[in-house]
Structures are given as C-alpha cells and as structure tokens.
C-alpha cells in the first residue's frame, strides 16, 4: 500500500474534505489551516517534488489553484485575495513529499489573524467551509457559462 498520505487522499483511501476534483488533480481543505478556507491542490499522480512533476500537470495544478483563489473570492468566505504557495523540498519547508499548491485566502488587514493562524493551525468548521468554496466554484462556473447546469466534480 502506498504510504504517501496525499496519494491515499487522491485515491479516496484516506479522509479529506474535498472541494474539487478532476481526472488529474484534487483540491481539499488543509487539515491544519492557517486561515479558514486554506486549501491544497495536488496532482493525483505521485510526484514528490517539482523535479518529479510533469510540467503540463504542474500547469494544470496551478490553473486549478488560480481558479480556486477566484472562487474563494466569489464565495461567502469573501476573500479579498490569496497567497498561492508551493514549498518545494525540505529546504523550503516542504513537509509532505507529494507536490501540493497551497491556496490561502486573504482579507484586507488580516495580518494579525494570519500570524495567529500560523501559530494555532486550527480547523474552522470544515464541512461549512468546503460548502462555501464549492458555492464559489459554482458561481464562477455560472459566470463563465451562464445557463449551464450545476457543476459536477466536487466531492467529499
Ligand atoms: P508543506 O509544509 O508545504 O509540506 O505543507 C503540508 C501541508 O499539508 C500542511 O499545511 C499540513 O497541515 C497539510 N496536511 C498534512 N497532512 C494532511 C492531511 N492528511 N490532510 C490535509 N492536509 C494535510
Ligand atoms: Zn503521493
């Protein structure tokens, strides 16, 4: 059995609160979020570090992170911006050796909240948070394709 926790999450064999998924990647809430809505985007195919990651797949992961950042701004979390961060290698404080892109929602004047969140790393009602993010994804989909049916692909 694969001992990579993110591979197990991608396969549905380990618990995670997923907000988005397609054939090649999935996005789920960080278990120890810095702020509410802190999400990780991972390729489903294992790559420990950027050196192991197919560039096209990396571009797909970034595109999903880009879209998630916009979705979180549209969502009831009402972020004003985001930090998209990828820690590559232990020198850069990567702790889980499966490439992941952090999407960290930011608000104006939230510096103290982020500093505290960095210390506490407490979950914030994950089920409601994920529902809010999925709502933002649906709102974004609807803006791009007005009149199209509900978005499929989000999972829990
Ligand atoms: P990094 O320092 O970039 O490797 O960050 C790894 C991130 O993965 C941290 O923010 C952890 O809280 C998060 N994490 C570790 N295990 C899990 C898990 N099982 N489910 C969700 N997030 C996780
Ligand atoms: Zn893995």
């Amino acid at each position: 059995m694969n001992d990579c926790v993110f591979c197990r999450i991608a396969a549905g064999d380990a618990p995670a609160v997923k907000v988005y998924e397609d054939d090649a990647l999935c996005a789920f809430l960080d278990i120890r979020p810095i702020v509410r809505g802190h999400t990780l985007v991972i390729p489903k195919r294992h790559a420990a570090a950027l050196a192991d990651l197919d560039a096209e797949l990396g571009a797909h992961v970034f595109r999903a992170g880009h879209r998630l950042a916009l979705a979180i701004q549209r969502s009831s979390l009402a972020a004003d911006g985001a930090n998209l961060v990828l820690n590559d290698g232990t020198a850069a404080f990567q702790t889980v050796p499966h490439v992941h892109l952090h999407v960290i929602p930011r608000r104006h004047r939230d510096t103290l909240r982020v500093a505290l969140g960095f210390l506490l790393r407490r979950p914030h009602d994950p089920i409601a948070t994920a529902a809010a993010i999925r709502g933002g994804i649906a709102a974004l989909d609807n803006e791009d394709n007005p009149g199209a049916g509900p978005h499929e692909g989000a999972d829990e």
Side-chain angles (χ1 to χ4, degrees), residues 39-121:
T39 301
L40 303 175
V41 186
I42 64 165
K44 288 188 171 176
R45 194 185 318 142
H46 183 81
L50 286 182
D52 312 305
L53 182 68
D54 173 79
E56 283 307 314
L57 185 52
H60 186 53
V61 166
F62 185 82
R63 203 176 297 119
H66 177 177
R67 196 157 178 82
L68 260 174
L70 299 182
I72 293 170
Q73 292 183 41
R74 298 293 190 289
S75 80
S76 58
L77 300 184
D80 299 310
N83 293 115
L84 269 62
V85 179
L86 193 151
N87 299 324
D88 183 46
T90 52
F93 305 126
Q94 182 180 2
T95 59
V96 177
H98 179 131
V99 170
H100 49 283
L101 177 65
H102 295 258
V103 180
I104 303 168
R106 296 297 306 269
R107 308 285 294 266
H108 292 300
R109 294 175 295 282
D110 68 356
T111 311
L112 193 60
R113 183 186 297 271
V114 170
L116 266 178
F118 212 85
L119 292 173
L120 299 174
R121 310 289 302 254

Side-chain angles (χ1 to χ4, degrees), residues 2 4-8 44-47 97-98:
N2 189 337
C4 171
V5 65
F6 285 1
C7 279
R8 280 189 275 123
K44 288 188 171 176
R45 194 185 318 142
H46 183 81
H98 179 131

Side-chain angles (χ1 to χ4, degrees), residues 142-154:
N142 195 43
E143 280 173 36
D144 291 348
N145 293 300
H151 176 80
E152 288 173 19

